[in-house]
Amino acid sequence: MTVPAGSDQQKPLSAEDTTRTRTEFSAGPQTGRDGGLDIGSIETLSSQLAESIGAILSRRGESLAVAESLTGGQISTTLAAVPESSDWFAGSVVAYRPETKFRILGVPEGPVVTEEAARVMAETVAERMGVEYAVATTGSGGPEPQEGEEPGTTWIAVTANGNTEASLHELSTDDTERIVALTVNTALQAVHNALQERASEDTEHVHGAAGEPPD
């Protein structure tokens, strides 16, 4: 992925970086008030990730769906902005209220800033849209705590060919706009990582098969 010219960013925000936002990205004109990248720079990186995701999915003939809560449709907007995204982006469910998660996505009634909620959201939208990949986000978007969770507490789940992994992120800010931008970026990075892991597994399988003795 290409980093924009003039950026101090050397790599996209990753799942591991989200708990270190204040210290990982701290210098230069494109930084925000909390010491991290400004929102415009984060959105640029997210757009680049979306383009890379689209290219990979198009090449494989696979598709992606989204179930998002605190990001309010921003992941979907970023993906849909990629040229010819209809070839690989199946659609999304923006389940902002807890009741919508319960009724539309089958999330068990109860707290929704949880690993279980994120997993069910991703798995349900993948099944209902008939796609190989899905990503879901749920969390406390600030500026006040939600369900006892501090602003910036987010769960992200990615379903890849029937396997789901969820991760917890604690962002170092209570600014809602910044939380959304960082969560969009982190969710897209999680999808990109899943796609790259699949490519590595395919390569290992091919190499392994090539080394097998003939029957």
Side-chain angles (χ1 to χ4, degrees), residues 98-186:
E99 292 81 1
T100 306
K101 298 177 182 68
F102 305 151
R103 296 173 184 171
I104 305 300
L105 293 174
V107 173
E109 293 193 19
V112 294
V113 185
T114 65
E115 177 179 1
E116 181 183 24
R119 285 179 174 274
V120 173
M121 289 168 68
E123 291 168 356
T124 301
V125 79
E127 179 183 0
R128 295 187 177 179
M129 294 197 184
V131 298
E132 293 84 3
Y133 293 87
V135 61
T137 62
T138 182
S140 178
E144 301 298 328
Q146 180 179 345
E147 297 179 351
E149 300 291 350
E150 291 299 316
T153 303
T154 65
W155 280 98
I156 295 173
V158 174
T159 292
N161 293 295
N163 297 315
T164 303
E165 293 189 6
S167 54
L168 174 64
H169 307 273
E170 297 175 343
L171 306 175
S172 302
T173 179
D174 60 0
D175 181 89
T176 297
E177 186 178 9
R178 189 167 182 79
I179 289 170
V180 170
L182 287 166
T183 302
V184 169
N185 184 275
T186 306

Side-chain angles (χ1 to χ4, degrees), residues 20-53:
R20 303 193 300 275
T21 302
R22 293 177 186 269
T23 56
E24 284 289 328
F25 314 104
S26 59
Q30 291 181 294
T31 56
R33 67 186 184 209
D34 65 354
L37 284 179
D38 65 35
I39 290 174
S41 298
I42 297 168
E43 290 176 344
T44 295
L45 290 167
S46 295
S47 295
Q48 293 174 340
L49 278 168
E51 291 175 3
S52 182
I53 289 167

Side-chain angles (χ1 to χ4, degrees), residues 40-117:
S41 298
I42 297 168
E43 290 176 344
T44 295
L45 290 167
S46 295
S47 295
Q48 293 174 340
L49 278 168
E51 291 175 3
S52 182
I53 289 167
I56 296 169
L57 289 171
S58 293
R59 186 168 63 249
R60 295 181 184 173
E62 296 176 325
S63 298
L64 170 70
V66 178
E68 51 187 316
S69 180
L70 82 157
T71 45
Q74 291 301 308
I75 297 174
S76 305
T77 298
T78 303
L79 293 169
V82 177
E84 300 181 350
S85 57
S86 60
D87 291 344
W88 49 269
F89 178 40
S92 68
V93 175
V94 181
Y96 205 66
R97 298 176 66 181
E99 292 81 1
T100 306
K101 298 177 182 68
F102 305 151
R103 296 173 184 171
I104 305 300
L105 293 174
V107 173
E109 293 193 19
V112 294
V113 185
T114 65
E115 177 179 1
E116 181 183 24

